Each structure stands twice: as C-alpha cells, then as structure tokens.
Amino acid sequence: MKKNHTRLILSVAGAMALAGCAAVAPKPDYDAMVNKMMMASFRDQGIATVDRLKQDASNEACSDAQGKDLPQAKAKAIEAENLKTVKLPADGKFIGDWKTGEKLAQNGRGMTWSDKSADTSANGGNCYNCHQLSKAEISYGTIGPSLLNYGKIRGVSDPTSAAAKPIVEYTWGKLYNAKAYNACSAMPRFGHAGMLDEKQLKDLMALLLDPKSPVNQ
Amino acid sequence: MADPMRIRAQAAGDKTTVRVLMGHEMETGQRKDSAGKVIPAWYIRNVSAQLNGKEVMTAQWGPAVSKNPFFQFVVKGAKAGDKVTISWVDNKGDKRTDEATVS
Amino acid sequence: MKKRLITSLLLVACVGVSAQTKSTADGIAEYRAMLADGNPADLFEAKGEELWKKKRGPKNASLEQCDLGQGPGKVKGAFVQLPRHFADTNRVQDLESRLLTCMESLQGMDAAAIAKTGFGRGEQANIESLVAYVSAESRGMKISLPQSHAQEKTMFEVGKRAFFYRAGPYDFSCASCHGEDGKRIRLQDLPDLTKNPGDGIGFAAWPAYRVGNGQLWGMQRRLNDCFRQQRFPFPGYASDVTIALGVYMGVNAKGAESIAPSIKR
Amino acid sequence: MHTRRDAIFHSAKVAAMLASIGLLPVAALAQGAAYNTAAFEAKNMADLVKAMGVNAPAESKDVTVTGPDIAENGAVVPVGASTTLPGVKRLLLLVEKNPAMLAAMFDITDAIEANVSTRVKMGQSSNVYAVALMADGKVLFALKEVKVTLGGCGG
C-alpha cells in the first residue's frame, strides 16, 4: 500500500491526457493509473469494504508479474516472510474430524459481499472448487492439483505418528498460508487471512490425512 | 401484461416441430426472499395449442416447470403457411395468446 | 441458428451411442447441447428490440438515433466493436455505459440514477433486454475492437493490469481463474481470457441467459459477480475498471465469433 | 335477475362442463380450464395414481424418457416423454424426488405425435419418469436417473 500512495499522484484522467500526446510525453505510468482506477471504481458493500484492495508485498509482486514466474530470490524472500506467519496448533494436535472436513471442503461460501458475517463459522473451505478430493464427488475443479489419496500416496498410515510429522506439518502450513511454499500460489491463505480457525483447519487436515477419510479410499 | 411468446414452427415433410418459449417466473411458492418471507407461487397451469383454429394439444403444468418455460411438440399434417396458436393461463388468471406461421 | 441446431443434434446423437462409457465432461456437453436450441435469451431479445424503438422517458424519444459507434441508428455490427472511444463523451465506453449515455441524451433519463439501480430492477431490467437485442444484431460476427485511439490503448494497458490485480481475503485476481487453459471450477470450464479462447467462448459468449436464475446478464453483471466471487468490494456500474477489463478481454478475443446472447449454466 | 357474480359463476360452470367433455375452446382457456390440483400435489406414485384415478403403472420399453445423465444446473433440466404405441391419451413427466412428483401433463390428440419435451426444475439427483396413459386404461412408464451437480463457486 505504501507504493500505492506514491503512485497515486497521477490521476487516471491526467495520465490519459498525457497518453493522448505521446509524442512529447514520457511513457504513461500504467501502474499508477491502475491503482488510482481500482480505488475509484469500487465501493464498500456489506462486509466487502474497499480496504480489501490493499495489497501486501506478496500480492503486489505477484500482480506485477502478470502470471510469469518471479525472480527466484524474490520468490524465496516472499515464501520466507509467509512461512513466519504459520502458527501451529496450540495443543500440538493436528487432526480433527474428516466428516466435518468433508462438509467444509464442499462449502464454497464465505467472505463475499452477500455473506452477512466474516466470522470463520460462516466460511467454507472451498476445496472442491479447485481440487479433486474423493472419488464420490465428480463435481470438482482443476485449478489446483488432485488431492485424491493425499495421505495414502504420502504413506501416512497414522497421522499422529512421529514418522508422519514432516508431512503433517507441511500440510498444516499449506492450508494456513499457501504462499509459504509457493510465492504466487493461487490458493487462499486460510489461516493467515483468518478465514478458517484452528478447529476448521484440523478437520480439513483429517480429510486429507486420516486413512479413514474418503480422500484416502 | 405478460411478454410475448417466441414460437417457431418448422415443417419437414408431413411433420411440423413447434418450439415455444414463454416469459414467466414459474415461482414455486417454496422459495423465500432475502427477508425470509415466502414468495407466493406463480406459475402457468394450462397450455393449449391450436393448428388453424383447431385444438391439437392441451397441457397442465405444475410449478416444477422451469422459469421462462420451453416446450416442444410435433404436429402431423401441417404445411407452410398454416397458423399455430399457443395460449397459456397462470394460477393468478393472467393469460397470453400468440400465433406463428409454419415455415 | 440452423447450423447450431444441427451440431447440437449431432452431439446428442454421438453421445447417445457411447452412453455406457460416457464421462462427466461428455454428460455436461450433452446437457448443454440439449439447452442450446430454445434459448430464453430470445425473449429478452424481442423485448429489447421493442424497447429500442419505443418512445420513452421525459423526452418521449426512442433509442433509434443512438450512436453505438457505427453512426446514429446503426445497430448491426456495433456490438463486436465495443468497448470503444466515443468523441462526444471523450470516453471509452462499453455497450452498457453507452446505452446510459443515449438514455440520458436522447430520452432525458437520469443515467447516474440508473447506474445506481440494482441489477434487474427498473431501468436496469430494460438494459438487460437492450443488451440482448444489440448483441444479437452482431451474432455470428467477429470481435474486432478498435485500438487506434490513445485512450483505447490506455484502457487495454490498465485493463491488463487490473486483470492481474491480486487482492482481497482470498488473494484472487481475474487471472486466478482465467489465466490458464483447461482449468475449471467444479465442473465449469474456465476460459483463458489472456488470449483469444475461441469462437463463442468467454468474452464472445456474453451477454448470456443464466439458466440458474433465469436472468439475462450483460458484461457488467458478469463482471460484478466475478468480483463478488473474487471476494472484492463492489465495482460501480460502468466504472472504469469494468470498461478497462472489457477492452482487455475484447482486444484479446479479436477474431472470435460472437454468439451473444448465449445460454449459460 | 342475473348479477355479475352469477354470470361469472355460470360461465365457470359451463367451462368446466365443456372441459369435461373435451370441448373447451382456446378462447375460453381461462379460470375454468381443467386443472388437477390433487395430482400436482401428489408426493409419490401411489398418491398420483389415486389423484388421477388411473391404474397402477407398469414399466414398458415402448415408452421413452429423455433427459441428460448429468444436469449442470437443477433449475433447468431438459426432459421429454414419447411412445411409439398407438392410442395414447396423455403423457406425464415426473421427478421422483421433487416436493411434488408431477411436473407436467400433456393431452395427446391424433393431430400430434406422442412426443413432447420441456424443461423442469430438480432439487436434487433423482429418477425422472415418462408416463403414458393409454386409451385401454393401461399406464406405462419409463425412467432414467438424472444427476444434478453442484456448480459454480457455490457462493
């Protein structure tokens, strides 16, 4: 957002006028224009307020990259910053109830201006929107990789065992803040952004890692 | 007043396929508005089709027919230039009649 | 129309033969083919034509003299060149913002008040029929947005940046869903809008009739719901970001055949 | 003396009478047109058969039900009923798991083919039936399962 402020000096209209006489003017600052335009075009509606347009360093860098890979050093720095935000469960228990997790995974609601509350209890995990998870659900998205047999493929027979610890912690981190492992991941940062609480994350962990979960059948 | 229907009647040999689109809410009476109030049922109940003024089909519909209803049937022995007339009446007594020429 | 009908019948026939090994994608394709013939957008199209020609508003005038970019009163072919720059307003306008201009200048209506009206209510409902009519008058034509005016080029550049602008609680941008080929949400295919996704796909398929709610959606409402699902704040009707995105997607779709108004889930 | 109320009552009675003997002209298709409310409220096949006053249905390969295997949206599911058998009086389209089973019923005359289609709402995946009421009193049906998927972002 700091960058936004310095960029906002040029108004969209002013910059467009400059663009109109390009022969004498320098190349228009499109980045400044887009920031100004975003702020001018949106308004608050319900829980969706315009402060949502603020970008943190990760989002700003990934926006500017326009779909291309970030330079490796930049990506590593962003990942390190995001990894610092990951909070492991206070009681050291990672695995909840896969049945509740499945319901959360199916639920694509939450955080829109038509949702009444931004409370975690109003939010779904949105998982099936982007991932295949169980054989039974044929209506799944493909923006993210298939997670079918997620735990089984990774050899998790007891997610509470010491052997499973690395994969359990990685999975928790991925759900909590996906940008900790992939700077420009398309996946929301469910824990970091406060959209899912610890209990909900544990239930999703169970869905992915519990050998009895439909994901691992 | 209700919007006009779109009726297409295309002859192929001795069979004419009639396709009808109607503008109607087809409200089931089971939905609630944002304030939690039940939206009253409002749907087409009776449909009738005529070929050159002679009735060839009638239908009764429930609220399960989709919004902006589409239906299709095949008339025997109609030819280009014949008139197909469709009428409907809904549960509030609102009605509409439109005509198309077989092509 | 006839061509569409034949392909849809063929699709049904082919799918029918291999019924036993049918995949989910085939099943969905079959469903869509069954709906293609008999698109309720026709109802909106007819109503829109009537509204276009009807004398309305404080000035009791029709929209027949509205200039959609091809000169006053020329509707055919206008849609596939929008959004574009208009000299009289000195703005780049999409179909809906241009209709607002005409409703105000020709009919004496209050454009700002209409822009604030909720979708599907009052004059907004009429605009939905009007966009169905105007877009249908370019059905089968190829998308070809002008890029000769400096403002049109600027709108493309800022539209591109807006397309990749990540923000909100989910960190989504338009590109999160529409930046790659072959992706889907649940079972819905997501066109890659950073390039020409093909005839009648993406930009070339809107306005469209939504079977889920029986509404006719113009590009403004389509973008509005994208931003809602993106967990963004509310984009103003005909605001710069919506026009800029229209220019970006439209220029990318150059050469694609417009099938609007189409039918969508 | 005829009051206005009497006149309306009278015309409704006439329309009902005409309808009962199949003589209802299109122009009179109004409040008086036949509508089997009980049939459209039936929750299951037994109730429907009772409301219609017909025989119990039997499955028949001569009746065809059309519909997609998967519907992308339950609000609009294209379905059709047809039969090659002669002597069809009525074709019905039913959705087993809807709050009321009967979606639409078409009276078939000799002037049209026994082949109709429309689009119906489905609250969930369900069997869809095409039922043919025959002149000889037989009630024949075909059924197919239509899966309704959850679409979009779900928000």
Side-chain angles (χ1 to χ4, degrees):
Chain A
M1 198 54 200
K2 215 178 275 165
K3 189 169 152 196
N4 286 351
H5 279 300
T6 53
R7 281 172 170 188
L8 286 180
I9 297 164
L10 280 175
S11 76
V12 172
M16 281 183 179
L18 282 177
C21 35
V24 291
K27 192 167 172 281
D29 185 351
Y30 295 122
D31 292 335
M33 281 190 247
V34 75
N35 284 314
K36 170 87 181 165
M37 179 179 77
M38 297 302 281
M39 296 304 159
S41 293
F42 290 88
R43 63 168 170 80
D44 294 351
Q45 174 92 345
I47 61 169
T49 51
V50 287
D51 61 6
R52 289 188 176 188
L53 295 173
K54 285 179 197 162
Q55 295 175 312
D56 69 355
S58 312
N59 276 336
E60 189 172 304
C62 297
S63 300
D64 291 348
Q66 295 187 0
K68 291 181 197 73
D69 289 340
L70 293 178
Q72 210 176 6
K74 177 88 181 161
K76 289 281 164 232
I78 288 176
E79 287 161 14
E81 277 305 305
N82 280 289
L83 190 58
K84 280 189 220 158
T85 72
V86 176
K87 286 194 195 77
L88 299 183
D91 60 2
K93 296 199 173 82
F94 289 86
I95 307 297
D97 169 25
W98 64 259
K99 287 190 188 101
T100 315
E102 166 71 12
K103 279 187 201 128
L104 266 176
Q106 289 282 2
N107 184 347
R109 292 188 179 276
M111 304 304 285
T112 73
W113 66 64
S114 43
D115 291 298
K116 287 198 176 66
S117 161
D119 192 83
T120 52
S121 63
N123 298 336
N126 293 259
C127 310
Y128 281 101
N129 284 352
C130 299
H131 298 281
Q132 181 181 28
L133 285 122
S134 63
K135 283 194 194 79
E137 182 52 86
I138 56 164
S139 181
Y140 59 86
T142 60
I143 294 174
S146 171
L147 302 175
L148 192 62
N149 292 322
Y150 180 89
K152 200 175 181 180
I153 288 169
R154 288 159 181 81
V156 178
S157 53
D158 175 7
T160 60
S161 66
K165 200 171 175 239
I167 192 66
V168 166
E169 286 191 1
Y170 161 79
T171 306
W172 180 270
K174 189 83 189 170
L175 289 172
Y176 197 95
N177 187 339
K179 271 77 171 175
Y181 303 98
N182 174 2
C184 293
S185 166
M187 184 164 154
R189 294 174 280 190
F190 290 102
H192 176 60
M195 287 172 317
L196 296 178
D197 60 28
E198 213 176 81
K199 158 91 172 60
Q200 289 169 316
L201 291 172
K202 287 180 182 183
D203 292 337
L204 289 178
M205 290 287 287
L207 181 67
L208 290 168
L209 293 163
D210 191 323
K212 290 194 282 300
S213 149
V215 168
N216 296 315
Q217 302 313 307
Chain B
M1 201 185 76
D3 290 327
M5 286 177 246
R6 297 283 269 180
I7 306 169
R8 286 178 294 153
Q10 276 172 315
D14 62 345
K15 287 174 189 169
T16 296
T17 302
V18 182
R19 296 178 181 86
V20 186
L21 275 167
M22 302 165 168
H24 203 283
E25 287 299 319
M26 300 303 285
E27 193 61 61
T28 58
Q30 312 221 355
R31 297 196 314 151
K32 287 176 181 167
D33 63 16
S34 50
K37 239 180 80 187
V38 173
I39 306 169
W42 181 29
Y43 58 95
I44 291 173
R45 301 208 323 182
N46 292 91
V47 179
S48 158
Q50 286 183 312
L51 177 66
N52 298 325
K54 181 181 168 283
E55 188 161 278
V56 293
M57 190 212 68
T58 56
Q60 295 174 44
W61 289 356
V65 172
S66 301
K67 178 175 176 176
N68 294 323
F70 170 81
F71 85 101
Q72 177 177 320
F73 62 100
V74 180
V75 184
K76 296 178 203 164
K79 54 195 182 304
D82 284 355
K83 300 274 186 241
V84 173
T85 312
I86 309 289
S87 302
W88 58 253
V89 185
D90 68 25
N91 65 323
K92 293 182 181 175
D94 197 5
K95 56 191 158 196
R96 173 95 212 172
T97 297
D98 289 285
E99 190 178 83
T101 306
V102 176
S103 63
Chain C
M1 192 66 201
K2 206 171 264 174
K3 196 177 131 208
R4 262 203 293 163
L5 174 59
I6 292 167
T7 27
S8 65
L9 287 177
L10 276 177
L11 257 173
V12 174
C14 299
V15 169
V17 172
S18 59
Q20 260 144 9
T21 54
K22 206 186 301 177
S23 71
T24 305
D26 290 341
I28 293 291
E30 175 197 27
Y31 169 78
R32 289 178 190 161
M34 284 172 141
L35 288 185
D37 187 32
N39 180 354
D42 283 7
L43 297 165
F44 292 84
E45 196 183 314
K47 203 172 171 182
E49 183 172 8
E50 197 188 309
L51 281 164
W52 183 261
K53 294 172 177 165
K54 197 170 166 185
K55 291 194 172 93
R56 300 191 322 120
K59 292 187 181 171
N60 193 35
S62 77
L63 288 169
E64 286 164 302
Q65 287 306 303
C66 179
D67 182 357
L68 294 172
Q70 308 300 307
K74 293 213 173 71
V75 182
K76 209 153 205 75
F79 177 70
V80 286
Q81 294 193 26
L82 291 170
R84 67 182 299 147
H85 178 264
F86 287 85
D88 57 352
T89 54
N90 194 24
R91 279 184 63 203
V92 176
Q93 294 183 288
D94 68 351
L95 173 57
E96 284 153 281
S97 61
R98 190 60 189 168
L99 283 171
L100 284 181
T101 299
C102 288
M103 289 163 91
E104 181 157 289
S105 62
L106 298 173
Q107 299 182 308
M109 296 188 192
D110 182 350
I114 299 171
K116 281 198 201 92
T117 306
F119 288 110
R121 295 161 201 259
E123 285 300 326
Q124 280 283 352
N126 289 333
I127 288 179
E128 285 168 1
S129 295
L130 286 166
V131 299
Y133 164 62
V134 173
S135 61
E137 287 291 296
S138 291
R139 190 183 271 133
M141 296 182 178
K142 293 194 184 314
I143 306 276
S144 173
L145 272 64
Q147 276 282 282
S148 51
H149 194 279
Q151 280 192 36
E152 290 166 348
K153 287 183 196 137
T154 300
M155 277 303 212
F156 175 83
E157 288 298 332
V158 293
K160 181 180 185 179
R161 283 157 180 80
F163 190 86
F164 287 97
Y165 192 98
R166 281 183 178 221
Y170 281 19
D171 307 328
F172 283 170
S173 69
C174 305
S176 302
C177 291
H178 295 288
E180 269 183 84
D181 262 332
K183 299 288 182 185
R184 42 176 237 232
I185 286 180
R186 290 281 183 168
L187 287 172
Q188 274 69 55
D189 297 317
L190 300 163
D192 178 357
L193 301 175
T194 65
K195 62 182 184 63
N196 178 359
D199 291 346
I201 302 172
F203 187 79
W206 295 88
Y209 179 81
R210 297 289 303 256
V211 301
N213 49 28
Q215 296 162 343
L216 194 292
W217 283 17
M219 184 51 79
Q220 284 292 327
R221 195 164 187 179
R222 170 65 280 187
L223 289 175
N224 183 277
D225 200 55
C226 277
F227 278 126
R228 188 181 69 87
Q229 301 279 11
Q230 222 173 297
R231 276 71 182 180
F232 267 43
F234 195 96
Y237 186 83
S239 59
D240 279 346
V241 70
T242 62
I243 313 268
L245 285 169
V247 172
Y248 175 66
M249 293 186 291
V251 169
N252 288 342
K254 189 178 176 63
E257 182 190 329
S258 173
I259 60 161
S262 70
I263 185 163
K264 294 271 183 190
R265 171 187 65 82
Chain D
M1 202 186 93
H2 266 322
T3 63
R4 193 168 162 271
R5 195 169 159 265
D6 285 340
I8 292 169
F9 182 60
H10 183 69
S11 64
K13 251 196 334 200
V14 172
M17 193 187 76
L18 286 173
S20 68
I21 54 172
L23 281 177
L24 185 68
V26 170
L29 180 68
Q31 281 86 343
Y35 192 74
N36 191 337
T37 306
F40 281 99
E41 284 171 356
K43 304 271 180 262
N44 53 49
M45 192 66 96
D47 289 354
L48 180 64
V49 162
K50 203 170 138 199
M52 303 270 309
V54 296
N55 293 318
E59 193 159 3
S60 164
K61 61 182 190 337
D62 296 318
V63 176
T64 305
V65 58
T66 55
D69 290 357
I70 303 174
E72 211 176 358
N73 198 309
V76 178
V77 183
V79 292
S82 62
T83 175
T84 49
L85 295 173
V88 188
K89 302 308 281 179
R90 270 182 170 168
L91 287 172
L92 274 50
L93 282 161
L94 319 178
V95 181
E96 190 172 19
K97 290 192 183 163
N98 273 2
M101 209 180 181
L102 179 59
M105 118 169 110
F106 298 86
D107 291 341
I108 308 301
T109 66
D110 293 342
I112 66 166
E113 308 248 307
N115 182 355
V116 292
S117 46
T118 184
R119 294 169 184 170
V120 298
K121 298 164 197 157
M122 289 179 63
Q124 56 184 310
S125 299
S126 167
N127 283 328
V128 173
Y129 290 79
V131 182
L133 306 190
M134 310 304 293
D136 62 7
K138 282 202 187 96
V139 179
L140 307 171
F141 74 85
L143 71 90
K144 83 165 277 173
E145 196 197 3
V146 176
K147 275 203 189 83
V148 175
T149 61
L150 183 64
C153 311

